[in-house]
Amino acid sequence: MSFLVIGECVADIVRDADGTERIHPGGSPANVAYGLARLGRDVTLLTQLADDPTGRLIADHLKGAGVRVETGGVPARTPSAIVGLDAHGGATYTFDIAWTLEAGELPAARPGHVHIGSVAAVTAPGAATVLAEAERLRDRATVSYDPNVRPALMGEHGAAVARVERCVALSDLVKASDEDLAWLYPGESAESVAARWLRLGPALVLVTRGAAGSLALTGRETVTAVAPPVAVVDTVGAGDSFMSAVLDALAGRGRDALGGLGADELAELLRRAGAAAAVTVSRAGALPPDRSELDAAGGESALRSGRAS
């Protein structure tokens, strides 16, 4: 099956604790597309890139992995983020982003899955295009969403929550971090928020908790998993690698199948996705594993979508 990812590309300017700077291609949706391509999936990214050095760097990076890049409007400059790393590899972000996406040229064949999220799904005026495309395609495609909350770009809190919940209601599968949920719903547990989101429409909600592991909820099951031990270089792209591995493992499963996943299947899904995130944090930048690296890190998976698609 084919994937369509809609969202931003960002040049991550990573500033180490010692002041050293490195530029990595980034942007949560772009990272998910890249991760899917690294796993051998057929994936198109609808995004915006300027004709500048960082735009060309990102385009070459994506196309080198096999991502088809389609653009909807050309911004004055490619979005960027200053990424500060603490002594433990934890990342903080300062953004320079404008998002004015227009509908681009998409493949003639409809995708089997559409992934949206991050800045692109909630930032005007381009967010309107993201949601319109997802709504247009969802009659035949499953939809996933990762809010990837960036507080500095979210605007007024109540309005931001409403925009996120609109995206949640549009989706069959939602993945969020515990930090996302803490900003959106201060003082509420991840389990409580995930249960609320299930009532909005998704069949499956996943929550990542960094070193504390992950959580999966359907209408019938609640499953937790521990994170594999790993020496962290930086955490950039960890959640996106988790998302790519999830989408790969579940490719070809419709909404009813997502909601019907059993406890053992959910545990395997979390284990596999956690292994992908662990590979990514073990090296610099948002560099997710390819198929052989993921198999080596997490073992062969009974959920491998080659058996499900």
Side-chain angles (χ1 to χ4, degrees):
M1 67 175 287
S2 61
F3 292 83
L4 172 64
V5 179
I6 310 175
E8 75 273 7
C9 293
V10 179
D12 288 337
I13 305 169
V14 181
R15 188 170 292 163
D16 293 325
D18 63 4
T20 303
E21 288 190 352
R22 296 170 281 118
I23 298 178
H24 295 288
S28 178
N31 291 341
V32 172
Y34 184 78
L36 283 166
R38 293 267 291 169
L39 293 172
R41 290 295 176 178
D42 180 347
V43 57
T44 298
L45 174 67
L46 175 58
T47 190
Q48 288 191 303
L49 285 170
D51 185 16
D52 56 21
T54 53
R56 291 188 288 272
L57 171 70
I58 293 171
D60 289 346
H61 167 79
L62 292 165
K63 293 174 182 177
V67 178
R68 282 189 297 274
V69 179
E70 300 292 347
T71 56
V74 179
R77 61 188 180 280
T78 296
S80 64
I82 302 295
V83 185
L85 298 178
D86 62 24
H88 304 289
T92 58
Y93 298 83
T94 304
F95 292 94
D96 178 11
I97 291 180
W99 181 245
T100 58
L101 185 74
E102 302 169 359
E105 290 294 326
L106 301 178
R110 286 196 168 197
H113 186 86
V114 178
H115 176 72
I116 63 174
S118 194
V119 176
V122 296
T123 301
T129 300
V130 175
L131 296 182
E133 288 297 294
E135 289 172 344
R136 181 177 68 84
L137 295 168
R138 73 187 303 264
D139 61 332
R140 293 187 184 180
T142 46
V143 177
S144 58
Y145 171 58
D146 177 0
N148 193 44
V149 170
R150 301 304 184 202
L153 302 176
M154 297 298 286
E156 191 273 326
H157 184 267
V161 172
R163 290 194 299 270
V164 166
E165 290 183 349
R166 180 183 176 191
C167 295
V168 169
L170 180 65
S171 303
D172 303 294
L173 163 64
V174 177
K175 191 278 292 181
S177 72
D178 53 356
E179 293 180 344
D180 294 336
L181 301 186
W183 187 85
L184 291 166
Y185 307 98
E188 294 193 38
S189 70
E191 291 85 352
S192 173
V193 175
R196 179 194 302 179
W197 280 3
L198 284 174
R199 293 191 293 271
L200 292 177
L204 173 61
V205 176
L206 307 174
V207 180
T208 56
R209 294 167 154 167
S214 55
L215 167 72
L217 277 85
T218 68
R220 299 188 299 179
E221 303 284 356
T222 299
V223 176
T224 60
V226 298
V230 62
V232 175
V233 173
D234 71 47
T235 60
V236 178
D240 303 324
S241 293
F242 186 102
M243 186 83 250
S244 296
V246 164
L247 297 182
D248 170 67
L250 297 179
R253 301 194 183 213
R255 186 179 189 282
D256 290 342
L258 294 177
L261 290 170
D264 289 345
E265 292 174 299
L266 291 170
E268 169 64 9
L269 177 67
L270 295 178
R271 184 196 64 78
R272 180 82 169 169
V279 171
T280 301
V281 302
S282 71
R283 54 199 186 192
L287 181 59
D290 62 19
R291 178 77 65 193
S292 63
E293 289 176 319
L294 183 52
D295 286 344
E300 283 290 333
S301 172
L303 279 166
R304 275 280 298 273
S305 49
R307 295 172 55 179
S309 60

